Amino acid sequence: MPEHTDTHIGERLRDIRKRRGMTQRDLSTAADVSLSLVRKLEQGEYGDTRMETARRLAYALRVPTGRLLRRDADDPDPVTVDRWAPVRAALLAPPTDRLDDEPTAAGVAAALDAAEPLVVAADLAGLAAVLPALLRDADALADDSPRTRTVRVRVLQLAGWLLTQTRQYDAATAALERALDTASDRLDGAATVNTRCWLLLRMGRLAEARGLAARWADDTEPRMSRATSDELAGWGWLLLRTAGAAVRDNRPGEAADALRLARSAAVAVGREDVAGVDNLRTFGPVTVAQHCVEHASVTDHPDRVLKLAAHMPQGRTTSSNRARHLLDVANAHATMRQYGDAVDVLQRVRGEHPEWLPQQRYARDIMRRIIGRRRTLTPEMRDLADAIGVPAQ
């Protein structure tokens, strides 16, 4: 899925454009963006721009996208900040004294398993309610055995994933750093790094995400002839993160190579299943196929997005990954001016994940494009725009 970032690219954009001997009009033509957008970006009138636009500009200037980017400024809304305050407090609180009723690793693991339906349903409100107690109990576990450390890592990974999902990046970073420090084996570490790379992608730190994922992929590459499904899934996801960062950073060859290796890992796994020790994701042929669709979306090939999406292999990924895939499909329809189809897909996502969808700036960008290109809106479109959080102009 195309991510979005607070780029503050005006000065860098102007300097690189001048070094290339290009006028603003030259750049707008080469990047297939409007001249007024180039002017406004260079004048600092836009505080942020979409990753898709930044990638087009960087491609036209023949530089990595990371040369233009800084970090995501799409801060969480006040309701999200308030709702997740207890989670941040539990995560960042100093260690507590022993509790009268001390938790056990088995008890915390059972509570995590009980919360799994909330993860599957992307029930953010429900997860925000249960996570503070999970964090406190995991932190209060008395021993430091591998079993206990694995439970702590799972809780911290869940916190990091949810905080990234809701754009609370500083707290997410803290959770994932603690998880990586706590991990007792390379599979737990790889699962944590997977989410860390996703966080870096959302922040626009493409080179850092690519380097971290590639380094861990190299270090954890299994011997295919005797690799376990857990090892293949962990390695495959790191390759997908490498490919995702590379394609956004205008490194298509590197992206293609990483995606090819990820596909070989998926073939070896043979089916779509929980991604080894990473309970937050699945890995297999469907996940890799969804990432092929994502790459086509990032590189502005909507016709290929729709072709690939129409021939997805059998199997189901996690609900959030499935929903993000559908946003790529909606974006392709909108790009090809198939607005009714785009709205139908967005309505489908809304019906399945009413809490998740308003958190996605990608969805708002798609809806803004539909609104901007239509002379009138149907009642369904107006209702959908309100639900996604597109403000009235």
Side-chain angles (χ1 to χ4, degrees), residues 197-268:
C197 290
W198 176 46
L199 168 62
L200 291 170
L201 282 173
R202 295 203 75 173
M203 296 171 72
R205 292 158 62 175
L206 303 182
E208 191 175 346
R210 192 181 76 253
L212 180 63
R215 184 167 66 252
W216 271 78
D218 287 344
D219 290 345
T220 59
E221 181 177 359
R223 183 174 294 180
M224 297 293 286
S225 61
R226 61 186 187 192
T228 67
S229 293
D230 289 359
E231 291 170 334
L232 288 166
W235 180 57
W237 258 110
L238 291 168
L239 290 165
L240 291 178
R241 295 304 186 200
T242 304
V247 74
R248 288 171 171 82
D249 211 18
N250 292 318
R251 299 174 183 270
E254 184 177 341
D257 289 343
L259 199 57
R260 174 178 52 80
L261 291 173
R263 188 180 292 110
S264 70
V267 169

Side-chain angles (χ1 to χ4, degrees), residues 76 80 84 124 161-168 202 359:
T80 298
W84 290 84
L124 300 182
W161 179 74
L162 290 166
L163 290 163
T164 301
Q165 188 76 260
T166 53
R167 304 188 302 279
Q168 301 175 86
R202 295 203 75 173
Q359 296 286 339

Side-chain angles (χ1 to χ4, degrees), residues 306-330:
L306 298 179
K307 181 178 180 180
L308 290 172
H311 296 90
M312 294 291 291
Q314 295 296 313
R316 289 192 65 83
T317 59
T318 53
S319 57
S320 59
N321 281 342
R322 171 66 177 168
R324 283 195 292 269
H325 165 71
L326 289 175
L327 291 187
D328 281 331
V329 175

